[in-house]
Amino acid sequence: MSWQPVGSLWARLPRELGDAVRPWIPAIARQCVEGVMAEIGECAEVFSDAEARAAAVELTRRGIERAIDRVGVPELLQNDLLTDFREQGRIAFQQGLSREAAQAAFRVSSRVLWRSIAAAGRRLHLSGDVLYGAAECLFGDVVEVTMALTEGYNAAQAEATGPTEQRARLFRLLTGGGGYAQADVGALAVAIGWRIPHRITAVVFTAAPGAPPFPAGLLPTAVPADLVSDAPGALVACPEADLGGLRELPAGWTATVGVSVPMAQAAESFRIARRAAELAQRGMITMVGPVLWCEEHITTLLLLADEFLLDQLAGEALEPLSGLAPRQHEELAATLLTQVQTRGSAPEIARQLAVHPQTVRARLRRLTELFGERLEDPDQRLRIELALRAERLRPAEL
């Protein structure tokens, strides 16, 4: 059988099939975007924003509408269809999606559309040959549209060849957490002159209100870095060598250095650095100077990793202290923390707290009244210690 343009195949389908599908196009578009988000991690992250998701649904609706409009229509009226998909390729690049994710999104959408077309055909009692023809149209579209998406994507990428944008795009690919194509990473790494390391460390930068622009010269030029987004940061292989310039950070800027991880876990280092920066802003991690090193605060980061669960733990473990006056709560909490940590005698606890041993004995008797046998249970003591440590880290929020 000779090859035929896909457009001519659509034109041979009965118009009643298009009429049956057309009322369902908005619902099908929503199902397409939901399917894409379920199967493609990159798209799920981009479309988690309600505005971006609504725009994706609208683009999909228009694409399906254009496809259905081709049913039973001469090919002459279909020539500009691929222009829309070239534009969608450009949009995918601007959203930070990889080329492979954009192509996969169309394949997923085609499957969803095919199920709807097949259902409409069965309702109309159309022959198997007609349904086979519809499937051939969709599968043929996958080839042509994928080429158009790639052309638009490549054109947008070629227009954004500046080194600053290349560094930022590589940074977003590696820290996005949605997976990425090694080919994309390799191409961008070559473009900026970055040798891909085995291990990587993320750095997050935070600016106080009124801070001056970030001086780009403080970072090596050949590292992935995005200094203009809402979460500016960089990725470095050797923090001690690559971040020497941070000693010159201008007033109002701070840097939070994540932990060193294998290359594939760069997103985790970035997540930890962002969390540490947030805790520092809330006063739960003390910064000495403009640079915070996460490796020095691993215990605090672990303890405050899930504040919801921590609240549940504190509410249960420290419930006996809940009805006390603030000063009595503070005194008994300090004594209890020292006691569960050291299991020391009253004189030993008194030395650590700088109070009289008799005062400690009185507090210990009161704690025994409040907590009872919990203080003899190792598991309960651990829960109490974790809750008290967290309370010290965030006293203003408890």
Side-chain angles (χ1 to χ4, degrees):
M1 184 176 70
S2 61
W3 178 87
Q4 298 184 55
V6 175
S8 64
L9 296 177
W10 282 101
R12 293 167 56 185
L13 296 175
R15 288 198 178 194
E16 59 182 325
L17 177 60
D19 294 338
V21 172
R22 191 169 285 105
W24 299 97
I25 289 177
I28 297 170
R30 289 192 296 272
Q31 293 168 13
C32 287
V33 174
E34 290 168 1
V36 165
M37 293 178 68
E39 293 193 32
I40 306 169
E42 287 183 51
C43 295
E45 183 176 354
V46 170
F47 300 150
S48 62
D49 176 78
E51 186 175 340
R53 185 165 60 254
V57 170
E58 175 59 19
L59 273 176
T60 305
R61 184 197 65 77
R62 282 163 37 194
I64 295 173
E65 197 170 69
R66 293 291 297 275
I68 297 304
D69 284 346
R70 290 184 292 169
V71 173
V73 175
E75 187 183 357
L76 180 64
L77 303 180
Q78 305 170 11
N79 292 336
D80 62 343
L81 176 69
L82 295 181
T83 301
D84 288 348
F85 287 101
R86 292 188 185 94
E87 180 59 25
Q88 288 194 32
R90 286 178 170 274
I91 293 172
F93 173 80
Q94 292 160 2
Q95 290 174 324
L97 293 173
S98 68
R99 187 183 298 102
E100 289 74 13
Q103 295 167 346
F106 180 76
R107 291 194 293 271
V108 172
S109 297
S110 295
R111 290 204 308 270
V112 175
L113 178 57
W114 161 244
R115 288 196 292 267
S116 298
I117 290 177
R122 287 192 294 270
R123 289 194 299 270
L124 295 171
H125 304 292
L126 297 179
S127 69
D129 287 342
V130 172
L131 293 180
Y132 174 82
E136 189 176 4
C137 290
L138 283 171
F139 296 144
D141 272 356
V142 168
V143 176
E144 290 192 353
V145 170
T146 296
M147 292 175 60
L149 284 170
T150 302
E151 289 174 8
Y153 190 100
N154 291 345
Q157 191 174 45
E159 293 168 4
T161 54
T164 299
E165 175 56 32
Q166 289 170 336
R167 293 168 69 197
R169 176 161 165 71
L170 181 54
F171 176 84
R172 292 192 295 267
L173 274 180
L174 294 173
T175 59
Y180 50 81
Q182 290 291 344
D184 287 342
V185 171
L188 287 168
V190 170
I192 68 171
W194 185 55
R195 182 176 180 181
I196 299 177
H198 294 296
R199 298 185 68 83
I200 201 77
T201 302
V203 189
V204 169
F205 299 103
T206 307
F214 187 89
L218 293 188
L219 290 174
T221 56
V223 298
D226 182 0
L227 302 177
V228 297
S229 71
D230 293 336
L235 293 170
V236 297
C238 182
E240 292 78 6
D242 295 335
L243 301 178
L246 296 187
R247 291 187 293 268
E248 306 300 325
L249 270 175
W253 280 93
T254 58
T256 304
V257 184
V259 295
S260 175
V261 295
M263 183 68 186
Q265 296 177 342
E268 284 300 300
S269 183
F270 182 56
R271 179 185 64 82
I272 292 169
R274 292 187 67 179
R275 176 61 171 162
E278 176 199 345
L279 293 175
Q281 288 182 315
R282 292 164 60 187
M284 298 181 193
I285 292 180
T286 301
M287 291 193 67
V288 179
V291 182
L292 174 67
W293 296 82
C294 287
E295 63 183 14
E296 299 175 359
H297 301 275
I298 294 295
T299 302
T300 299
L301 290 167
L302 176 62
L303 187 57
L304 299 179
D306 191 322
E307 294 190 66
F308 174 80
L309 289 179
L310 194 56
D311 286 338
Q312 308 309 303
L313 173 65
E316 185 274 329
L318 303 183
E319 188 275 333
L321 299 179
S322 60
L324 302 178
R327 180 174 178 180
Q328 188 180 18
H329 180 114
E330 181 180 350
E331 291 174 347
L332 288 180
T335 303
L336 180 57
L337 180 57
T338 306
Q339 197 269 342
V340 296
Q341 286 178 328
T342 67
R343 301 289 287 167
S345 63
E348 291 170 334
I349 296 173
R351 280 194 297 273
Q352 293 197 38
L353 297 178
V355 297
H356 195 279
Q358 199 60 29
T359 300
V360 171
R361 292 188 181 96
R363 292 180 185 175
L364 291 176
R365 285 194 296 271
R366 179 62 173 145
L367 288 169
T368 301
E369 294 173 2
L370 292 170
F371 285 87
E373 294 181 355
R374 295 189 196 185
L375 299 181
E376 302 304 320
D377 185 323
D379 289 337
Q380 290 294 330
R381 287 202 306 273
L382 176 60
R383 293 164 68 88
I384 291 170
E385 180 180 355
L386 290 173
L388 289 170
R389 282 178 174 269
E391 186 177 70
R392 278 194 171 182
L393 288 170
R394 50 177 199 163
E397 298 193 10
L398 289 176

